[in-house]
Amino acid sequence: MVRRIGISGNYAVAYAVKMADVDMIAAYPITPQTTIVEKLSEFVANGELDASYMNVESEHSAISACVGASLTGARVFTATSSQGLALMHEILFMASALRTPIVMANVNRALSAPLNIWNDHSDAMAQRDAGWIQLWVRSAQEAFDATVESFKIAEETRLPVMVNMDGFIVSHMYEPVELPDEEEIRKFIPSRPLENRVSTKRAHAVGVVGPPEYYYEMKYQAIDAIEESRPKIKEIDNDFNSRFGKSYSEIDTYGIEEADAALILMGSIFGSAKEVANALRRDGKNVGVISLRVFRPFPVQELRRAIEGIRAVGVVDRATSPGGSGNPLYNEVATALYDMPERPVIQGFVAGLGGRDIREDDFRLMYDATQKAAREGAGRCIYVGLRE
Amino acid sequence: MKCVKTTLKGWREIPEGGAITEPGSSVNFDVTAWRTSSPVIDQEKCTKCGMCFLYCPDSAIEIDETGNYRVNISYCKGCGICAKGCAPKAITMVKEGH
Ligand code: SF4
Ligand code: SF4
């Protein structure tokens, strides 16, 4: 039986992890992620979840512990934000190259300095090349569903998965969330023992030196694995849909069928973008929105299909790449669309850094500028709401 | 021991995650190209103390059937540790190509 309860995005993740029956949780608190591991510690302490709960001294240790535990075949989870994710940086690359199916919630928060605990996407964007699958959710329900799916995606692709959720806006917002029966979840992701790759029963070395004769080939395995994950992510979502009646595609669109201009964005601002698009459409402006749920592997074909017939797209980055040719999401989109025979013009925007709200007027400005770009060509990146 | 040079494996053949699943794979690895000088043992001066055998980080010093210490040049990286550790100074490092 499906239960409908009021919980925060963070708690939704914690419930998903509990129902996934993880074997090990590495915990280090950091705002705004803390209440995920806090809730999990409660589950473990009161006997609802039989898992080893490891308090570590830093995020670097948290992810290292996850790599080690995952190599033994355990199902593992950790959560982090911002500086914590940055501290994990070097181990993130090992997790993907060693093919450890770790699931991690990353509650998106700005990177220092100045110190800021609020939401933007700079933490995850700085880790985009680490070889992790990256999912982006927009509500507590999506956080729950994506976390459940992530365990299956991770274990079937043997790649780590990062579930990204906007700090505070999703993580601390209490919303009604439908929780299926724990038994049903366990049928979807059975606790099948993954192979123990560090058993003393046989000679087996992992984390070895890869000299120039081998590094390239070893690295390529992880590149191939993430390419191969594309159909698996779809398949797993179909399976999830047939069991729980919810489906999530790589990209979501709103009103793009007849649009001449559309915004492309990630995360919880999809809701506001839709509202404003709706208002503008009532005034006769043909605008729409595209939201990415999967950022790695980047949904190139899906985006190209969605974009057909649209004359201008505006890419909303909530992270920057100072001195770059564009900001992270802009660069991805521009590269994905570059060799389309009739590609749209692409206008870049930066908005909502360090928790700055993106308000109705900001969206209106972005839609207008994108429509203007359709007529006159794109200009330089617009830093929306920046005071001079 | 003879160094068995295997053909290099492609990415599809390497076990997942670059794991090494067979013991003793280092015997397949020839380090000749790393060396700029090689140890030459003067058997007249050698007291057969075995220090070079113990010190060599790559196990390149072997004992032949006559009981003499010899360098297996395929595994010698030319670090010179054996020469430093040899009390009677029986080992000389000779530059490659000389
Ligand atoms: S030079 Fe170094 S590697 Fe070569 S035999 Fe001596 S100790 Fe071993
Ligand atoms: S350390 Fe010198 S003396 Fe001792 S066995 Fe080796 S070569 Fe001979």
Side-chain angles (χ1 to χ4, degrees), chain B residues 41-43 45-53 61 69 82 85-91:
Chain B
I41 303 178
D42 180 345
Q43 299 295 347
K45 286 193 193 164
C46 172
T47 61
K48 302 190 173 38
C49 68
M51 290 308 275
C52 53
F53 175 87
I61 308 270
Y69 288 81
C82 54
C86 174
K89 300 201 183 325
I91 304 180

Side-chain angles (χ1 to χ4, degrees), chain B residues 23-67:
Chain B
S25 60
S26 60
V27 297
N28 298 332
F29 207 72
D30 187 318
V31 299
T32 297
W34 299 9
R35 208 168 51 230
T36 56
S37 52
S38 336
V40 175
I41 303 178
D42 180 345
Q43 299 295 347
E44 297 291 309
K45 286 193 193 164
C46 172
T47 61
K48 302 190 173 38
C49 68
M51 290 308 275
C52 53
F53 175 87
L54 292 174
Y55 276 139
C56 175
D58 282 57
S59 304
I61 308 270
E62 294 168 1
I63 307 167
D64 69 14
E65 54 292 342
T66 62

Side-chain angles (χ1 to χ4, degrees), chain A residues 143-171:
Chain A
F144 175 86
D145 296 340
T147 307
V148 170
E149 286 193 354
S150 289
F151 284 102
K152 203 175 178 84
I153 295 171
E155 286 166 18
E156 291 199 2
T157 60
R158 316 265 276 185
L159 282 172
V161 181
M162 190 186 296
V163 179
N164 288 282
M165 151 167 78
D166 284 329
F168 297 110
I169 295 163
V170 180
S171 69

Side-chain angles (χ1 to χ4, degrees), chain A residues 333-349:
Chain A
V333 170
T335 306
L337 304 186
Y338 182 76
D339 59 0
M340 281 177 81
E342 288 182 39
R343 67 170 180 271
V345 292
I346 309 171
Q347 174 64 48
F349 300 101

Side-chain angles (χ1 to χ4, degrees), chain A residues 97-99 157-158 197 202-209 211 213-214 216-218 220-221 224, chain B residues 6-24 29-30 33-34:
Chain A
L98 294 177
R99 310 292 300 281
T157 60
R158 316 265 276 185
R197 291 190 271 163
R202 59 191 177 131
H204 202 121
V206 289
V208 297
V209 172
E213 294 87 340
Y214 273 103
Y216 194 12
E217 282 70 22
M218 289 176 175
Y220 188 76
Q221 287 188 337
D224 177 67
Chain B
T6 48
T7 47
L8 292 169
K9 289 193 172 116
W11 68 270
R12 289 179 196 278
E13 302 164 283
I14 300 170
E16 187 180 272
I20 292 177
T21 51
E22 296 290 327
F29 207 72
D30 187 318
W34 299 9

Side-chain angles (χ1 to χ4, degrees), chain A residues 50-106:
Chain A
D50 180 17
S52 127
Y53 190 90
M54 199 166 168
N55 283 297
V56 289
E57 76 282 15
S58 74
E59 289 87 352
H60 190 277
S61 302
I63 190 69
S64 301
C66 284
V67 170
S70 180
L71 286 171
T72 70
R75 183 175 282 171
V76 304
F77 174 82
T78 189
T80 196
S81 291
S82 178
Q83 308 303 124
L85 185 66
L87 186 56
M88 291 179 177
H89 181 70
E90 59 164 339
I91 311 298
L92 297 179
F93 288 74
M94 298 181 201
S96 60
L98 294 177
R99 310 292 300 281
T100 49
I102 299 164
V103 173
M104 170 161 70
N106 179 45

Side-chain angles (χ1 to χ4, degrees), chain A residues 238-250:
Chain A
N238 288 341
D239 186 11
F240 186 86
N241 188 20
S242 67
R243 288 161 190 268
F244 306 111
K246 291 192 176 70
S247 177
Y248 301 97
S249 45
E250 293 82 350

